[in-house]
Amino acid sequence: FFFSSRRRHTRLQGDWSSDVCSSDLLGSFISFPQQSFSLTPDRLARITTLGHSLLPLPTVPVKRLARLTGYLISGTHCLGPAARIRTKAFYAAIQSRLTPSERTTPFPRIGWHRRVTLSAACRRDLLFGISHIHSLNGQPFCLTNPPHALDLATNTDSSGCGWGGFLLSPFFRHLPP
């Protein structure tokens, strides 16, 4: 690829010597000194405001519930696996917008104008999300305690009337017989 000599040179400058080496990217805040991902305050405010607006309603617009679910799922890297686990009831409510005959369509783009009733599980997960979003925010880049490898040798045997086995490991030498 050829570049002309009149090309404008731009240089990214960062203060890598300071304690604050971070970046705000797509609603996520990446902190290098803390080695963590977290949602920006604006994004947290959007999630909590939307959650508070849905909670008192007996029926909610499907689009707003889907928007909240999208905010939570897209922030899973910042909120951890609890965000993904606590959205299963939301997905069930979103799917309930369709009648059984509409669910057979390959790409259901219908029913987004409808309203759905929030189940008890959906309300419980909504309350959990609103009350715990600030404490869940800020997940590390990698595991703080990586799983330890343990060398094991397994010996098994089976017959027509039973089965059995035992483990061999240097770890078991320290245990009493």
Side-chain angles (χ1 to χ4, degrees), residues 53-66:
S53 71
L54 295 177
L55 199 56
L57 301 174
T59 60
V60 298
V62 174
K63 278 187 179 181
R64 287 175 60 191
L65 184 60

Side-chain angles (χ1 to χ4, degrees), residues 116-148:
V116 293
T117 304
L118 292 180
S119 65
C122 207
R123 288 191 186 279
R124 182 188 66 235
D125 291 347
L126 188 56
L127 275 171
F128 177 86
I130 291 169
S131 58
H132 291 91
I133 193 163
H134 293 287
S135 63
L136 293 173
N137 193 23
Q139 295 296 310
F141 288 166
C142 58
L143 295 174
T144 54
N145 295 325
H148 299 287

Side-chain angles (χ1 to χ4, degrees), residues 153-159 162-168 172:
T154 60
N155 293 312
T156 60
D157 189 23
S158 64
S159 67
W163 56 270
F166 62 95
L167 298 173
L168 293 175
F172 294 122

Side-chain angles (χ1 to χ4, degrees), residues 18-30:
S18 72
D19 290 340
V20 181
C21 297
S22 57
S23 177
D24 179 5
L25 191 64
L26 298 174
S28 298
F29 188 73
I30 304 169

